[in-house]
Amino acid sequence: MQKTGLLLGRSARAWRSVRMASSGVTRRDPLANKVALVTASTDGIGFAIARRLARDGAHVVVSSRKQQNVDRAVAALQEEGLSVTGTVCHVGKAEDRERLVATAVKLHGGIDILVSNAAVNPSFGSLMDTTEEVWDKILDINVKATALMTKAVVPEMEKRGGGSVVIVASIAAFSPFPGLGPYNFWMDKAKEESMKETLRISRIGKPEECAGVVSFMCSEDASYITGETVVVGGGTPSRL
């Protein structure tokens, strides 16, 4: 009985740690002096993740396909006093991936964290109507580029004794949505109410609600977590 109580106590403390990491109520600067790359990070979830990692002490390099978007995001985050720089990076281009890695190494001496957030969804409709060109684009950006980006940063992480790679994906990997074809990412505002019906929390999530979980996964608090899929889905069905 005592042993059971001890285990329950540990479980409760672990759960509180996760909740605190997500809400921002955690120890000061859990990512102090870590160097993080975040792809597609000038808007939405990527921007929220970049901001949270920087607020938690990391030096963050943001990236996007367009220079004006990079400049806007960097300016906004630097105005908050955060250690953020940025560079253009189309993850489907080898030279851009190399520049992103080189920028982090040149400015901060290495890389500890990669958050792969870049993805495309060029097709809506039936799988039977999806062209070979669309398949190639989705697989090149959403699959191959992520693997190659990871390959590029791992040698730099090894020099520093390890690191964290977090890949952002869609809840539709577990619960496919009709009409979103080979990518399956929801972007239609008109379907918001019907989407809420599948969520136990009954509301659409905010980018910031993903960011805390990512920060936790990149911190020492998650040092014994690897190879896991963590669903931030408001209670939507998420089992294959």
Side-chain angles (χ1 to χ4, degrees):
M1 184 67 71
Q2 287 181 333
K3 185 175 182 180
T4 301
L6 178 61
L7 292 173
L8 288 174
R10 287 177 178 173
S11 177
R13 286 195 296 273
W15 175 239
R16 284 197 299 271
S17 176
V18 173
R19 289 181 60 85
M20 288 169 68
S22 294
S23 65
V25 184
T26 186
R27 71 175 186 272
R28 185 174 180 82
D29 297 337
L31 303 179
N33 297 317
K34 299 289 187 180
V35 180
L37 304 183
V38 188
T39 63
S41 49
T42 60
D43 196 7
I45 291 174
F47 182 79
I49 291 171
R51 170 183 273 154
R52 179 57 184 269
L53 298 184
R55 286 179 173 177
D56 284 349
H59 304 292
V60 179
V61 181
V62 301
S63 64
S64 177
R65 291 178 297 172
K66 297 181 179 180
Q67 186 67 57
Q68 61 266 34
N69 293 343
V70 172
D71 293 342
R72 185 186 69 248
V74 169
L77 295 175
Q78 286 184 350
E79 283 180 4
E80 297 181 18
L82 302 175
S83 178
V84 176
T85 55
T87 185
V88 169
C89 180
H90 185 310
V91 295
K93 298 180 179 180
E95 60 271 25
D96 282 16
R97 295 193 299 268
E98 292 168 3
R99 181 172 59 248
L100 180 58
V101 172
T103 298
V105 173
K106 180 179 179 180
L107 292 176
H108 304 295
I111 299 169
D112 302 288
I113 296 166
L114 168 66
V115 180
S116 179
N117 181 61
V120 295
N121 180 24
S123 174
F124 289 85
S126 169
L127 286 175
M128 299 304 295
D129 297 327
T130 302
T131 65
E132 183 174 357
E133 181 182 17
V134 167
W135 276 111
D136 287 343
K137 186 172 183 178
I138 289 173
L139 292 173
D140 281 347
I141 302 302
N142 299 4
V143 180
K144 186 172 75 173
T146 296
L148 293 176
M149 193 74 241
T150 302
K151 181 181 178 180
V153 301
V154 165
E156 298 299 333
M157 291 178 175
E158 289 177 335
K159 294 175 185 177
R160 294 162 77 90
S164 300
V165 177
V166 177
I167 300 171
V168 180
S170 170
I171 190 66
F174 293 102
S175 302
F177 303 140
L180 295 186
Y183 180 59
N184 230 331
F185 216 44
W186 171 74
M187 295 178 67
D188 186 353
K189 292 288 187 181
K191 295 183 179 179
E192 181 171 339
E193 291 305 316
S194 62
M195 282 291 298
K196 288 179 182 178
E197 294 177 3
T198 70
L199 305 175
R200 291 188 176 91
I201 291 181
S202 300
R203 64 174 176 80
I204 302 299
K206 301 175 183 178
E208 292 75 16
E209 293 175 302
C210 297
V213 176
V214 173
S215 181
F216 163 71
M217 295 296 291
C218 296
S219 74
E220 290 303 314
D221 288 334
S223 60
Y224 204 60
I225 298 176
T226 188
E228 297 291 348
T229 300
V230 179
V231 177
V232 187
T236 193
S238 57
R239 295 291 180 273
L240 292 176

